[in-house]
Amino acid sequence: MTLLHLSVVQRLPQTWRVSADRPGFPVLALASASGDDYIGLQLLGLEGALAWEVMQGLQQTLSEIQIACFVAEWLGQPCLFVHRSDESAANCRLKNLGVAIAESICGGRDEALNGSSAAGGCKPAAER
């Protein structure tokens, strides 16, 4: 069993787009709903070189089924960015490998739409 099977990731509450001046590096998309958005997955419980190794392993396994994704740093930690249209396929592949995906629990649909989750009001169930 590898660390991939023991990994836990959470979806970042924001949507992202790729920076035009630094291809392959994400920037926060402000209330964007364009067709070219990305979702970010952050690894929970690991940091440093080991976290980078695990995220690169997750990227490789998604690439094996032709899901375009990339790993980039956000707030000092590696995050895996997947095109929004591939989110379901990526989640399915990761779950089949034994990766746990922490679900976020918010007070309600309106709270999530008003941006409270982006300000930290929405936390993974494991952190509540």
Side-chain angles (χ1 to χ4, degrees):
M1 185 178 294
T2 67
L3 280 176
L4 293 181
H5 297 101
L6 302 174
S7 300
V8 178
V9 296
Q10 77 174 15
R11 186 184 191 280
L12 298 174
Q14 305 93 339
T15 56
W16 305 80
R17 58 183 166 77
V18 176
S19 173
D21 59 328
R22 295 174 47 190
F25 290 90
V27 293
L28 182 61
L30 303 173
S32 171
S34 75
D36 202 27
D37 289 347
Y38 287 79
I39 59 108
L41 298 173
Q42 182 179 35
L43 191 62
L44 298 177
L46 292 176
E47 295 181 358
L50 190 55
W52 281 95
E53 183 180 329
V54 168
M55 286 307 240
Q56 289 167 346
L58 295 178
Q59 176 188 17
Q60 176 63 38
T61 196
L62 292 178
S63 296
E64 289 171 2
I65 61 167
Q66 301 177 351
I67 293 178
C69 57
F70 61 94
V71 177
E73 183 177 322
W74 183 69
L75 295 179
Q77 294 299 316
C79 291
L80 180 66
F81 293 89
V82 177
H83 198 272
R84 185 172 51 169
S85 64
D86 292 328
E87 181 178 8
S88 294
N91 284 345
C92 184
R93 173 70 170 181
L94 294 176
K95 287 178 181 181
N96 283 336
L97 290 171
V99 175
I101 300 175
E103 297 292 329
S104 296
I105 300 174
C106 295
R109 184 175 187 273
D110 291 336
E111 179 181 336
L113 293 175
N114 290 331
S116 296
S117 61
C122 184
K123 297 185 183 208
E127 291 181 15
R128 294 189 134 206

